[in-house]
Amino acid sequence: MASNAPVGKPADMSAPHMPKVAGIDPAAPSPPHTTGPLAGVPAAAPPSDAGVPPGALIQDRLASWVSDLTTLHELTERLIRSASLDEALREVLGAGAALVGARRGMAVLEPADGHGPTSTIGLGLAHADLGTIETVPRSATSYGRLLDGLPDPDRPARVPDPITIRDLRTEEGLDPRHREVAARLGYAASYALPLATEEAGRLGAVVWLYDEPAEPSERQRHLIGLYGRFATEHLARLLQVERARTRLSTISEELLPHRLPRVPGVQLAARHRTGPQGGGDWYDALPLPDGALGLSVGSVSGTGPSALAAMGRLRASLRAYAVMEGEDPVAVLSDLELLLRLTEPARSATALFAYAEPAQRHIVLAGAGHAPPLVIGDRRTEFVETSLSAPLGMLSCWEAPSVELSPAPGETVLLYTDGLLRRTGDPVDRAFARLHAAASGVPKADRSDPDAIVDHVLRALLPEETAPVPDGEDVVLLAARFA
């Protein structure tokens, strides 16, 4: 395989022996205020076309440079708008294919520190095609040589050169399996670029595939080199965000119940979608004496680790108050409000606590600045009428009346946090209407399964968010179906 050295820093724009133009003597020294050459712009070669005015050649080269800079600007602007690693890798694949004149390719994300995440994405290649390429010994592939040849990112080193294979049929020393896979998939040449800089270390590699024997021109290599360095830095930033999001999501999940309790007479289901900065939303289901059940949802103000810690403390305290006086939800929230005001004076929180007796299908609940529960059944879908109250920590002394509810057999009571409504992006009234419509639209066959109910509501309100919420707030749903 032949390795092509990266294009070095371009030469100066001004040629040392510029022809005479419009009476200007090229031997005359430049005035002292003349600016230096532009970094990143290739030097113009001396004109060689006989009979072509020098001014026209200069204009052509300037037009070419402007076109290249405009193209890079547009491609980098599109890349900046990508908000996830997979989206950014797809953008890099597409932009790079346009710059080097290829039709297909693959990107491999594999950070050198081994902390992940890792992924492989194809352009013009099906999932099976990627699997076929991965059957080639890694050390025999261009991307494998780039990934495995880079040292530890903690040790500064020169970034390896891109690897060009102009013709896979005639390349010397090529692994037979590599040649066989190329013939099967119908590509004849490749150009591999490392996604690495000395600052960011190794993040991965990109390979573009040509249908016929080919290689990028000097100009194309220069442009893809500039774009690749920018793309690597952008991917490094997205990688930091993704890792921080994963850590916060893990912490948040660890602070919530690992499993829901089994209580006769009621079926439970819950969903929790964590925002990128780690919000303070929680849910809980706690078995209480005499077959009772405590249900709660809530949200602490703020985001990040401090909000997660405050949420954990508040949820643990609410469990203690529920054990001591759960049959009186107002007393539970009053004690929680006093604790919040004394220990977290800079925070506020919304909360809803329900004391349920499944055997009697009876619920007593109280809410502090929280959205009303929703009752979903075969004969009705309606919000529970609760009194308007302030969030915890907003007043010197919180108190609100409780509400009693008796769900019919087979009905489900849905508790949720405000994040579910806000994530819709609609005004409050419209968001409530959409939630009601989503709950009313649960198929009859699914109404006996609380898991199916919460999944249907999530898909209806947030159709594009089946994974952790890409931006915005946490989303929590807790459903209790009574037998």
Side-chain angles (χ1 to χ4, degrees), residues 228-248:
R229 287 192 287 274
F230 180 87
T232 300
E233 296 298 333
H234 181 65
L235 288 169
R237 290 189 290 271
L238 290 178
L239 182 64
Q240 292 177 349
V241 172
E242 179 66 23
R243 288 177 172 178
R245 181 182 301 173
T246 301
R247 286 193 293 268
L248 288 172

Side-chain angles (χ1 to χ4, degrees), residues 176-332:
R177 179 59 181 168
H178 193 176
R179 212 183 304 272
E180 177 188 342
V181 167
R184 179 185 301 181
L185 299 182
Y187 64 90
S190 65
Y191 183 74
L193 182 76
L195 293 174
T197 63
E198 293 186 3
E199 294 78 14
R202 184 199 78 190
L203 301 184
V206 190
V207 184
W208 290 281
L209 308 175
Y210 296 89
D211 296 338
E212 301 293 338
E215 63 181 338
S217 65
E218 187 76 9
R219 173 171 167 265
Q220 288 173 324
R221 295 182 194 185
H222 178 70
L223 291 177
I224 193 60
L226 293 174
Y227 180 80
R229 287 192 287 274
F230 180 87
T232 300
E233 296 298 333
H234 181 65
L235 288 169
R237 290 189 290 271
L238 290 178
L239 182 64
Q240 292 177 349
V241 172
E242 179 66 23
R243 288 177 172 178
R245 181 182 301 173
T246 301
R247 286 193 293 268
L248 288 172
S249 178
T250 301
I251 295 172
S252 179
E253 294 299 331
E254 288 296 323
L255 291 173
L256 296 175
H258 291 283
R259 63 178 61 90
L260 295 172
R262 295 178 178 269
V263 177
V266 65
Q267 295 174 274
L268 301 174
R271 296 292 182 271
H272 180 220
R273 301 289 184 256
T274 306
Q277 298 179 353
D281 287 20
W282 84 82
Y283 68 90
D284 205 353
L286 177 66
L288 297 174
D290 301 323
L293 178 68
L295 302 172
S296 71
V297 293
S299 177
V300 175
S301 61
T303 58
S306 62
L308 287 174
M311 178 268 281
R313 291 190 292 268
L314 212 61
R315 173 179 166 269
S317 301
L318 190 149
R319 290 172 70 90
Y321 297 144
V323 170
M324 293 186 293
E325 48 192 1
E327 69 279 359
D328 186 355
V330 172
V332 171

Side-chain angles (χ1 to χ4, degrees), residues 36-119:
L38 296 176
V41 180
S48 59
D49 297 50
V52 180
L57 293 173
I58 295 174
Q59 289 179 355
D60 288 345
R61 288 182 175 85
L62 286 174
S64 177
W65 295 334
V66 170
S67 175
D68 290 345
L69 292 173
T70 301
T71 300
L72 284 175
H73 175 74
E74 292 174 353
L75 294 177
T76 53
E77 283 292 312
R78 289 179 54 179
L79 179 61
I80 289 174
R81 289 194 289 270
S82 58
S84 68
L85 284 170
D86 282 357
E87 184 183 352
L89 286 173
R90 290 190 177 91
E91 183 62 38
V92 170
L93 266 176
L99 289 175
V100 303
R103 188 171 63 88
R104 292 179 290 174
M106 62 181 289
V108 180
L109 179 69
E110 189 177 295
D113 59 12
H115 295 159
T118 62
S119 64

